[in-house]
Amino acid sequence: MQQGLMSHFFNQTRLAVWARLAIFVYGVILFAWFFSVSRVVDRYGQPLATDFITFYSASIAARSGQAHSVYDKTYFQNLEQTTAGARVGWYAWHYPPTFFLLTQPLAFFSYKAALLLWLLITIVPILLILQRIYPGRNTLAFFLSFPATFQVFLHGQNGFLTAALLSGGCMLLNGQPFFGGLILGLLSYKPHLCILVLPALAAGKHWKALQGFFFSLFSFTTATFLVYGSEPWKAFLNNIPMATAILEAGAVPFAKMPTPYAAIRLLGVQPASASLLQGVSTLLCLLFVVLLWRSRAGSGIKAAGLIAATLLASPFGFDYDLIILFPAMAFLFSEFPGNQPFASRLAVLGAAIWAIPLAGPIIASLTGLNIMPLVILALCVACGKWAAAH
């Protein structure tokens, strides 16, 4: 009975129809929003693709030789308001200077053209990678219908890039380990989502990948010194206490953050206690990843476990970062092709993962309970159980 019910709701044909319906709805919303904005700011006073104004303004600063100034609140808010042509709030830049190398070319285009170019250039690699991880006629439709995909489009964020680097690097570890490590090293542009990569590679004895990782990290960092000098790095390091203070002060929407720290703070726990519990979560994630990557589990299970644990190891992350969970599920499905006992479990887990970027923030806002880390934890537990079964 249960298996029949599962196959009724989670068969490929039915899911493909729902996915295409979701894509149509997303497309209508994004199309209407994009063309309702004359320049940069919408009718509600918000920048088009809200977070993208950060990337675009930073690209202007970097092009004009003011990369170090983006870490100054007053300077950057004024620049963002100049970019928007209106009074907008402060959208902070907390990225390391390496990210300038990726965003600076945006300054050569208008805001809308740069936004479209950014989304196109970053989404194509993850689409190609997903088709390699789990080939199928519906894989890309499921990805495009994923609510986190919509969030990345809505915010003009870098989630596609993060997902491509993390999943692409893991995918290449067995066949082209040096290039796999090279790609994973580029993930250092978002260091809080990179903290488990080195322990994983070391635990899995991927020595060539480690060489690629350090080569990438060294080259990426050196390039910023050659292009921008040392001032941006000094400003970045000086900015870390401010970024930490913003998080501790609750000046970020905890309901939209899928991290243990955010879930604990939403319950009213003080910053010091929440930081301590987040530290415990980080250490447990580190132990989990090391044990998983030392095991004989398939590469897909290891990659999925690393990706899921990444979100629980960091205190900082947003709903659009949940985009990385899709390749995690693709890795798992690639491990169990046609395996019926696992198929139903994967279907339930996949449904929860698919829904959580949409339902999680809503539930957290209404009830004060942030269940997103629990769903991600369920994915980690599943990876651990399936690894133990190998």
Side-chain angles (χ1 to χ4, degrees):
M1 177 68 179
Q2 183 181 10
Q3 184 61 43
L5 190 64
M6 293 296 297
S7 61
H8 175 72
F9 282 104
F10 296 110
N11 65 74
Q12 286 278 332
T13 302
R14 186 180 297 274
L15 289 175
V17 172
W18 291 347
R20 285 165 175 77
L21 178 61
I23 293 171
F24 175 77
V25 173
Y26 296 165
V28 169
I29 295 173
L30 294 171
F31 183 87
W33 189 33
F34 185 86
F35 287 101
S36 68
V37 177
S38 59
R39 184 167 175 259
V40 176
V41 179
D42 64 20
R43 67 183 66 180
Y44 304 106
Q46 298 293 321
L48 177 67
T50 49
D51 292 346
F52 184 72
I53 194 169
T54 309
F55 303 162
Y56 190 74
S57 298
S59 73
I60 294 174
R63 185 185 176 190
S64 62
Q66 295 295 316
H68 63 283
S69 298
V70 301
Y71 300 100
D72 179 85
K73 178 180 178 180
T74 302
Y75 170 87
F76 200 51
Q77 185 171 13
N78 289 336
L79 179 58
E80 289 174 325
Q81 291 183 354
T82 301
T83 301
R87 294 186 63 84
V88 295
W90 174 49
Y91 294 83
W93 173 277
H94 297 307
Y95 294 95
T98 46
F99 197 30
F100 289 125
L101 296 172
L102 304 178
T103 59
Q104 184 173 336
L106 298 173
F108 291 95
F109 303 90
S110 67
Y111 186 91
K112 281 190 172 182
L115 171 61
L116 293 176
L117 187 64
W118 171 256
L119 292 172
L120 178 64
I121 289 177
T122 55
I123 197 174
V124 168
I126 184 59
L127 293 177
L128 295 175
I129 290 167
L130 287 171
Q131 199 60 42
R132 283 277 306 274
I133 295 173
Y134 191 72
R137 60 190 179 93
N138 292 322
T139 299
L140 301 188
F142 292 151
F143 174 75
L144 293 174
S145 69
F146 189 32
T149 301
F150 178 65
Q151 291 291 347
V152 175
F153 276 115
L154 199 63
H155 293 287
Q157 259 293 342
N158 50 33
F160 298 143
L161 177 61
T162 302
L165 294 176
L166 190 51
S167 59
C170 288
M171 181 183 70
L172 292 174
L173 287 181
N174 290 331
Q176 297 175 291
F178 182 82
F179 288 104
L182 202 69
I183 291 173
L184 289 171
L186 296 176
L187 191 60
S188 59
Y189 90 93
K190 209 161 187 175
H192 60 287
L193 296 183
C194 190
I195 55 179
L196 296 179
V197 172
L198 277 178
L201 294 179
K205 298 181 180 180
H206 294 284
W207 308 126
K208 287 187 177 180
L210 280 170
Q211 293 174 19
F213 182 94
F214 284 115
F215 179 80
S216 176
L217 185 62
F218 175 79
S219 302
F220 207 17
T221 304
T222 301
T224 63
F225 280 98
L226 295 175
V227 176
Y228 307 112
S230 61
E231 289 303 312
W233 279 104
K234 294 177 183 178
F236 168 69
L237 295 175
N238 290 333
N239 180 70
I240 292 176
M242 177 186 288
T244 303
I246 291 172
L247 182 64
E248 292 179 347
V252 287
F254 289 135
K256 297 180 65 175
M257 299 176 67
T259 67
Y261 180 87
I264 296 165
R265 287 297 307 278
L266 204 58
L267 295 174
V269 178
Q270 293 301 306
S273 299
S275 296
L276 178 61
L277 293 172
Q278 174 64 57
V280 172
S281 175
T282 302
L283 290 175
L284 290 175
C285 288
L286 175 61
L287 178 62
F288 165 73
V289 166
V290 168
L291 292 176
L292 179 64
W293 280 62
R294 289 184 62 185
S295 72
R296 296 182 179 179
S299 59
I301 296 176
K302 291 180 179 180
L306 170 62
I307 292 172
T310 291
L311 291 170
L312 299 181
S314 171
F316 194 84
F318 280 99
D319 47 1
Y320 50 76
D321 290 315
L322 292 170
I323 192 72
I324 66 175
L325 293 179
F326 193 94
M329 290 304 301
F331 275 119
L332 283 182
F333 275 100
S334 71
E335 282 290 317
F336 305 108
N339 192 319
Q340 197 57 42
F342 285 103
S344 60
R345 302 176 198 175
L346 277 174
V348 174
L349 185 58
I353 293 295
W354 191 94
I356 202 60
L358 177 64
I362 295 175
I363 294 173
S365 298
L366 295 177
T367 68
L369 297 175
N370 189 337
I371 64 171
M372 289 183 280
L374 296 178
V375 175
I376 300 169
L377 178 61
L379 177 55
C380 289
V381 171
C383 291
K385 290 181 64 175
W386 291 331
H390 270 58

